[in-house]
Amino acid sequence: MSDHLAEIGQRIETVRQLGAVVNAMQGIAAQRAHQARALLPAVRRYAETARTAIGQARRLDEPLARFPARAVGGARGGLILFGAEQGFAGAFPEQLLDGAAADMQDRHILLIGARTATLAAERGLRIAWSASMPSKADALPALATSIIDALYDYLDETGAVPITMAYPVWSSGKGVSIVRASLLPLDLDTFPASTADLPPLVNINAADLIGDLTVEYVFAQICAAAVETFVAENEARLRTMATARSHIDRKGEALRLEERLTRQDQITSEVVELSGGRHRRE
């Protein structure tokens, strides 16, 4: 009986330690999600500023601003896919691959997230380029720069092929959803031309200006997708850890109940044994 009681005590301690780990992971995930969310307003303002500037630049040379979006040689182009960096996030890593499966056919895939890259390799998917998601939110702009570099290296080889992007967005109540966005080439008709009385003052031609602003806008879009992914992964992990915490609490309570019952049985057995010994002496 005492051995069994000791075993229960060890199991309770193991569950307690596991709970401490889960609590720590919850805290880290919550902090990271909060830090990333704080970046979103600035990233969105940056993208909107670039978008407004492109609209203003369209006034400089309207025929140029209407150049057609086209693909070279019939290529299907590239896909920037944002995924999970780590595990312990439930089905989140698999959801991203499943949700983007149709988008990955015959594409040059640039994948971000080590965990999703591992799952993609297990599925036999060919990844042209991959990168890890940083552990800190303030490193996301540097990641976006790396993605831009890899993207333009690819475009230097292929020419003006279409580039799309797929990334997860977290919403309370709905969880993760996959967002798909066309990145390049820009459809300038979706950038409303400025209605200001005077055109902007510039010292470069319209083609170069729109080209430079396009780079800024694409960078902002990629940066926003990286931030959204960072938030989504940590929110998914937070939910997974909350579920694990509930299971641990229930398991701990069950073990403590078993411990109390076992100790009670042990005390009862000892009382019965002592009572039997006294009766024999009498």
Side-chain angles (χ1 to χ4, degrees), residues 150-172:
L151 175 60
Y152 281 98
D153 285 345
Y154 168 61
L155 292 175
D156 284 343
E157 297 178 3
T158 62
V161 296
I163 303 297
T164 56
M165 186 167 61
Y167 58 95
V169 170
W170 179 273
S171 59
S172 57

Side-chain angles (χ1 to χ4, degrees), residues 129-159:
W129 180 89
S130 65
S132 296
M133 184 71 72
S135 59
K136 295 183 178 180
D138 58 8
L140 292 172
L143 170 64
T145 299
S146 298
I147 297 170
I148 285 283
D149 291 342
L151 175 60
Y152 281 98
D153 285 345
Y154 168 61
L155 292 175
D156 284 343
E157 297 178 3
T158 62

Side-chain angles (χ1 to χ4, degrees), residues 1 3 14 42 57-58 60 69 78 83 86 107 119 142 157 176 178 182 203 214 241 244 251 263 278:
M1 185 73 73
D3 291 342
T14 299
R58 288 186 58 189
L60 301 175
Q86 301 173 344
R107 296 290 183 91
L119 293 172
E157 297 178 3
V176 174
I178 307 299
S182 176
N203 57 9
T214 295
M241 291 301 101
K251 183 63 177 178
R263 183 175 288 112
R278 186 176 67 243

Side-chain angles (χ1 to χ4, degrees), residues 46-231:
Y46 176 35
E48 187 57 33
T49 298
R51 179 181 178 83
T52 300
I54 292 173
Q56 293 174 342
R58 288 186 58 189
R59 295 192 62 190
L60 301 175
D61 191 335
E62 187 65 16
L64 173 67
R66 291 184 179 277
F67 66 86
R70 58 188 176 85
V72 172
R76 295 198 62 185
L79 170 67
I80 302 173
L81 176 62
F82 287 86
E85 177 62 22
Q86 301 173 344
F88 300 104
F92 177 73
E94 290 81 1
Q95 282 180 307
L96 304 177
L97 284 178
D98 294 341
D103 304 282
M104 299 174 72
Q105 299 298 319
D106 301 324
R107 296 290 183 91
H108 181 96
I109 301 172
L110 290 77
L111 192 150
I112 298 88
R115 178 58 182 163
T116 299
T118 299
L119 293 172
E122 292 174 355
R123 296 186 183 191
L125 299 173
R126 296 178 60 184
I127 306 300
W129 180 89
S130 65
S132 296
M133 184 71 72
S135 59
K136 295 183 178 180
D138 58 8
L140 292 172
L143 170 64
T145 299
S146 298
I147 297 170
I148 285 283
D149 291 342
L151 175 60
Y152 281 98
D153 285 345
Y154 168 61
L155 292 175
D156 284 343
E157 297 178 3
T158 62
V161 296
I163 303 297
T164 56
M165 186 167 61
Y167 58 95
V169 170
W170 179 273
S171 59
S172 57
K174 294 182 179 179
V176 174
S177 58
I178 307 299
V179 173
R180 296 167 180 80
S182 176
L183 199 61
L184 287 171
L186 294 186
D187 180 2
L188 292 182
D189 285 335
T190 63
F191 292 76
S194 172
T195 58
D197 293 336
L198 296 175
L201 296 176
V202 297
N203 57 9
I204 60 176
N205 65 57
D208 290 341
L209 177 59
I210 290 178
D212 291 344
L213 290 173
T214 295
V215 174
E216 295 295 330
Y217 182 73
V218 168
F219 174 81
Q221 294 294 93
I222 290 175
C223 196
V227 174
E228 292 282 11
T229 302
F230 194 88
V231 171

Side-chain angles (χ1 to χ4, degrees), residues 20-69:
V21 172
V22 167
N23 286 343
M25 293 180 69
Q26 275 186 288
I28 292 171
Q31 181 184 37
R32 288 178 174 176
H34 176 74
Q35 291 173 344
R37 277 202 179 90
L39 295 177
L40 278 173
V43 173
R44 288 168 178 162
R45 283 195 300 270
Y46 176 35
E48 187 57 33
T49 298
R51 179 181 178 83
T52 300
I54 292 173
Q56 293 174 342
R58 288 186 58 189
R59 295 192 62 190
L60 301 175
D61 191 335
E62 187 65 16
L64 173 67
R66 291 184 179 277
F67 66 86

